[in-house]
């Protein structure tokens, strides 16, 4: 399953690397800066600068070199497609390479961020950004139930396959049709689950008071966090400076 | 006489869209400090009974409801589930859908946060509960990575953290191995010492009988047995109601058939052994 191993590269790794001990606020700023720069500049030189100055040090800090490698493997087809299509249409080798590299940078940056940030840190981050609780809660619930629903879908697929449903047979249309007997039970299960969830929430006093306590939040930024932030700003400045030279 | 914590008066409930009522004319009272074991065949209305206790019926489930349920003297029709749940903690049959947070630690704090308790209090209680339930090691683990037993334990811990007056557990050992089921029984007996009133729905009576002060048996929505364990379990017709009698009791019933009657009805293996050994020594086999 290529898709699953691809997703695994974005999964939280636990507090293993130095990067995962950095506060999510400066990390988010780094992520946004790298993304914006990578999208703003389209020259090969700029993309290379971003990769070397902004991305490589963070990969080192994250200790995610092996993950990045497997990520590159699973995105190589995508890279080839982006590069190939750009080359076919523009006949511009350096531009096409830049577009391919941009894709890699975006994927690697996202993976570094999500691997090193616990989802509850993400929700704390959203709270800090003054996003209303019901939005944050909806987000975390969605994240919480993705693996559960995925496992359930897998069970349903296995059950249907053992009854003789063949998913990977026939023409494209035929294959799409094969998925219909899966869709119905998956939807029904998901809806039933959502009812049970609502019931469980009420039974845990969800909505008891308007002034809900947020017992957990991001701790104050440490010295390292501020250093990371300063480094991100310096890296961005360096990229902008060198790219426009 | 203190007010009963649960007072159910002639309640009948039929789920919308089903043909027969799931609870039929049930009346009972539960006093503070009781440990009530609820049993009965599959589909006999045990989960429906649990839903009556925290107001999910009639608030959440649509259907025909008649009669009254009073919790701590308050009619459940008059207050919403999320207020009633402060006093009544319900642990559901399926642990997967009641874990809503991204880590075990946050899960335990979730209900306390909803209650709007002060932050320090929440952290203090959460730390205590994590240790008490042996979940310390798992505090950062997301729910989907827990085993069935760990999920069950987390769900229970999260409800106990809220310190309900009445704790209702719907088949808490469904995902537990026999050892963890015994551990759970031990934990509940400690809670009982803290004056929590407990209702446990369970098929496996062996584990919880020593704890129970009272046993209810449901059959097709009706409350067909209600009494202390010695009275309810020593009834040879129990199996016709879909209840599996504990082994200790089965043994004594067999002995009775053989004409051997013990002076006291034993509910645990050790009390049975005590009685048998004193009976044997009084025979003086030497
Ligand atoms: N949400 C619902 N909608 C309609 N009918 C329901 C619903 N939940 C339960 N029932 C019906 O009510 C009756 C009692 O169900 P209940 O779940 O209370 O039984 P139970 O004793 O808990 O069974 P089990 O041991 O299988 O959990 C059953 O006939 C069931 O089909
Ligand atoms: Mg049930």
């Amino acid at each position: 399953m290529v898709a699953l191993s691809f997703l695994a590269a974005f999964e939280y790794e636990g507090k293993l690397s130095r990067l995962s001990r950095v506060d999510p606020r400066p990390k988010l700023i780094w992520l946004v800066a790298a993304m914006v720069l990578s999208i703003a500049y389209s020259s090969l030189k700029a993309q290379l600068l971003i990769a070397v100055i902004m991305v490589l040090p963070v990969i080192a800090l994250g200790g995610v070199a092996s993950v990045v490698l497997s990520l590159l493997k699973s995105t190589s087809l995508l890279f080839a497609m982006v590069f190939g299509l750009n080359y076919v249409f523009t006949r511009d080798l350096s531009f096409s390479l830049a577009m391919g590299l941009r894709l890699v940078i975006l994927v690697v940056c996202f993976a570094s961020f999500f691997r090193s940030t616990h989802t509850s840190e993400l929700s704390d981050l959203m709270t800090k950004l003054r996003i209303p609780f019901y939005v944050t809660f909806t987000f975390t619930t969605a994240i919480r139930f993705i693996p559960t629903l995925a496992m359930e879908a897998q069970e349903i697929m296995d059950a249907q396959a053992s009854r003789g449903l063949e998913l990977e047979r026939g023409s494209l249309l035929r294959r799409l049709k094969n998925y219909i007997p899966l869709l119905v039970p998956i939807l029904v299960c998901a809806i039933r689950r959502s009812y049970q969830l609502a019931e469980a929430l009420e039974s845990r006093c969800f909505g008891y008071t308007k002034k809900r306590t947020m017992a957990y939040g991001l701790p104050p930024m440490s010295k390292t966090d501020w250093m990371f932030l300063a480094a991100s700003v310096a890296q961005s400045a360096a990229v902008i400076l060198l790219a426009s030279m | 006489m203190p007010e009963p914590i649960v007072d159910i008066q002639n309640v009948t409930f039929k789920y919308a869209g089903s043909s027969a009522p799931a609870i039929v004319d049930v009346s009972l009272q539960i006093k503070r400090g009781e440990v009530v074991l609820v049993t009965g065949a599959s589909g006999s209305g045990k989960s429906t009974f649990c839903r009556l206790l925290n107001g999910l019926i009639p608030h959440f489930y649509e259907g025909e409801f008649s009669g009254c349920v009073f919790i701590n003297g308050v009619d459940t029709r008059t207050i919403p589930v999320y207020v009633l749940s402060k006093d009544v903690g319900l642990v559901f049959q399926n642990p997967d859908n009641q874990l809503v947070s991204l880590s075990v630690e946050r899960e335990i704090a979730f209900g306390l946060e909803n209650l709007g308790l002060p932050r320090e209090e929440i952290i203090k209680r959460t730390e205590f509960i994590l240790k008490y339930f042996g979940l310390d090691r798992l505090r950062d683990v997301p729910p989907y990575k827990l085993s069935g037993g760990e999920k069950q334990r987390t769900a229970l811990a999260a409800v106990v953290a809220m310190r309900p007056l009445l704790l209702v557990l719907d088949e808490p050992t469904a995902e537990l191995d026999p050892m963890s089921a015994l551990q759970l029984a031990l934990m509940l007996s400690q809670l009982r010492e803290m004056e929590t009133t407990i209702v446990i729905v369970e098929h496996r009576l062996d584990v919880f009988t020593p704890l129970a002060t009272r046993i209810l048996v449901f059959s097709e929505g009706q409350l067909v047995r209600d009494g202390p364990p010695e009275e309810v379990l020593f009834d040879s017709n129990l199996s016709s109601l879909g209840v599996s009698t504990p082994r200790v009791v089965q043994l004594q019933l067999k002995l009775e058939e053989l004409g051997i009657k013990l002076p006291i009805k034993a509910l645990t293996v050790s009390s049975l052994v005590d009685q048998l050994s004193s009976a044997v020594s009084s025979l003086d086999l030497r």
Side-chain angles (χ1 to χ4, degrees), chain A residues 11-15 118-124 133 136-137 139-148 151-152 189 192-218, chain B residues 51 54 56 59-61 80-86 88-90 92 94-103 105-119 122-123 126-127 140-145 158-159 162:
Chain A
E11 197 184 356
Y12 182 62
E13 36 129 49
K15 281 209 167 19
H118 193 289
T119 335
S120 54
E121 282 184 303
L122 280 181
S123 80
D124 292 344
F133 175 66
T136 312
F137 184 73
F139 167 78
T140 52
T141 310
I143 301 264
R144 147 75 184 89
F145 279 96
I146 285 171
T148 309
M151 273 185 250
E152 192 167 71
C189 284
R192 198 170 51 195
R193 209 176 265 284
S194 72
Y195 272 103
Q196 290 179 353
L197 178 65
E199 175 181 34
L201 284 176
E202 285 213 25
S203 304
R204 298 274 291 289
C205 299
F206 193 71
Y208 182 80
T209 164
K210 287 226 161 57
K211 281 180 278 164
R212 185 182 193 274
T213 313
M214 294 296 202
Y216 296 89
L218 298 172
Chain B
R51 292 176 189 136
N54 78 339
L56 281 172
H59 291 293
F60 192 87
Y61 286 88
V81 177
Y82 55 79
V83 176
L84 209 57
S85 296
K86 187 170 182 288
V88 184
L90 175 54
F92 290 84
N94 181 348
D96 224 344
N97 298 328
Q98 53 187 316
L99 302 177
V100 296
S101 307
L102 298 163
S103 70
E105 180 182 37
R106 301 280 173 113
E107 188 65 40
I108 289 165
F110 181 77
L112 307 174
E113 291 181 313
N114 288 339
L115 290 175
L117 297 178
R119 186 170 171 274
I122 294 177
I123 307 266
T126 304
E127 289 307 314
D140 288 323
V141 178
Y144 72 95
K145 284 199 177 155
V159 170
M162 296 170 78

Side-chain angles (χ1 to χ4, degrees), chain B residues 41-48 50-51 93 170-171 201 203:
Chain B
S42 192
S44 58
K46 304 182 297 293
S47 296
T48 309
C50 295
R51 292 176 189 136
Q93 201 166 345
D170 195 350
E171 297 197 25
V201 171
H203 285 293

Side-chain angles (χ1 to χ4, degrees), chain B residues 32-161:
Chain B
R32 267 168 210 276
E34 280 194 86
V35 178
V36 182
L37 196 52
V38 180
T39 193
S42 192
S44 58
K46 304 182 297 293
S47 296
T48 309
F49 175 70
C50 295
R51 292 176 189 136
L52 286 173
L53 296 176
N54 78 339
L56 281 172
I57 294 173
H59 291 293
F60 192 87
Y61 286 88
E62 289 179 9
E64 291 166 30
F65 176 84
S66 65
C68 304
V69 178
F70 295 95
I71 299 294
N72 231 357
V74 181
D75 190 333
T76 56
R77 284 174 300 188
T78 61
I79 44 173
V81 177
Y82 55 79
V83 176
L84 209 57
S85 296
K86 187 170 182 288
D87 291 333
V88 184
L90 175 54
V91 182
F92 290 84
Q93 201 166 345
N94 181 348
D96 224 344
N97 298 328
Q98 53 187 316
L99 302 177
V100 296
S101 307
L102 298 163
S103 70
V104 169
E105 180 182 37
R106 301 280 173 113
E107 188 65 40
I108 289 165
F110 181 77
L112 307 174
E113 291 181 313
N114 288 339
L115 290 175
L117 297 178
R119 186 170 171 274
E120 299 70 40
E121 171 76 11
I122 294 177
I123 307 266
K124 207 176 87 195
R125 277 207 217 174
T126 304
E127 289 307 314
F128 175 78
I129 290 283
L130 279 171
K131 294 219 172 61
Y132 186 75
F133 282 88
L135 294 166
D136 218 5
R137 195 172 45 81
L138 301 171
R139 67 165 67 220
D140 288 323
V141 178
Y144 72 95
K145 284 199 177 155
L146 297 173
S147 74
E150 290 164 347
K151 280 181 192 163
Q152 196 84 261
R153 203 142 34 106
T154 306
L156 174 65
V159 170
V160 169

Side-chain angles (χ1 to χ4, degrees), chain A residues 23 25-26 218-226 229:
Chain A
D23 188 280
R25 283 163 285 190
L218 298 172
M221 298 237 294
S222 71
K223 221 156 124 198
T224 343
D225 299 332
W226 285 108
L229 179 64

Side-chain angles (χ1 to χ4, degrees), chain A:
Chain A
M1 291 283 268
V2 175
L4 273 187
S5 71
F6 179 71
L7 282 181
F10 293 84
E11 197 184 356
Y12 182 62
E13 36 129 49
K15 281 209 167 19
L16 296 176
S17 66
R18 270 172 290 175
L19 188 59
S20 62
R21 286 192 287 270
V22 175
D23 188 280
R25 283 163 285 190
K27 266 192 293 194
L28 181 69
I29 291 174
W30 166 81
L31 175 68
V32 171
M35 261 171 48
V36 167
L37 289 174
S38 178
I39 290 170
Y41 290 103
S42 47
S43 69
L44 181 59
K45 179 181 155 202
Q47 300 296 339
L48 282 170
L49 282 171
I50 294 168
V52 172
I53 297 177
M54 293 196 79
V55 182
L56 281 182
V58 172
I59 291 178
L61 207 58
V64 287
S66 61
V67 180
V68 169
L69 276 181
S70 80
L71 202 58
L72 289 184
K73 229 186 269 168
S74 51
T75 48
S76 56
L77 189 69
L78 209 59
F79 174 83
M81 254 171 63
V82 170
F83 170 76
L85 282 175
N86 273 298
Y87 189 69
V88 167
F89 286 110
T90 61
R91 296 275 156 197
D92 182 341
L93 185 65
S94 106
F95 176 76
S96 309
L97 275 173
M99 291 305 102
L101 193 54
R102 173 190 281 170
L103 179 83
V104 172
I105 288 173
L106 292 182
V107 170
V108 169
C109 285
F110 265 100
S112 304
F113 181 81
F114 282 104
R115 274 189 74 76
S116 65
T117 310
H118 193 289
T119 335
S120 54
E121 282 184 303
L122 280 181
S123 80
D124 292 344
L125 184 61
M126 290 170 75
T127 308
K128 259 284 177 323
L129 297 173
R130 298 189 186 284
I131 292 170
F133 175 66
Y134 70 91
V135 178
T136 312
F137 184 73
T138 311
F139 167 78
T140 52
T141 310
I143 301 264
R144 147 75 184 89
F145 279 96
I146 285 171
T148 309
L149 290 176
M151 273 185 250
E152 192 167 71
Q154 186 64 50
E155 273 169 29
I156 291 170
M157 257 149 83
D158 291 346
Q160 301 285 54
S162 73
R163 292 205 221 144
L165 180 75
E166 287 179 329
L167 288 174
E168 306 297 335
R169 268 284 192 76
S171 66
L172 191 63
L173 193 66
R174 178 80 238 148
R175 284 192 206 185
L176 281 179
K177 270 195 187 151
N178 285 347
Y179 275 88
I180 292 173
L182 291 179
L183 237 44
V184 175
I186 287 175
L187 263 178
V188 168
C189 284
I191 290 170
R192 198 170 51 195
R193 209 176 265 284
S194 72
Y195 272 103
Q196 290 179 353
L197 178 65
E199 175 181 34
L201 284 176
E202 285 213 25
S203 304
R204 298 274 291 289
C205 299
F206 193 71
Y208 182 80
T209 164
K210 287 226 161 57
K211 281 180 278 164
R212 185 182 193 274
T213 313
M214 294 296 202
Y216 296 89
L218 298 172
M221 298 237 294
S222 71
K223 221 156 124 198
T224 343
D225 299 332
W226 285 108
M227 273 161 60
F228 188 92
L229 179 64
S232 302
V233 173
Q235 287 169 325
S236 312
V239 168
I240 293 171
L241 210 70
L242 291 172
S244 50
M245 254 165 47

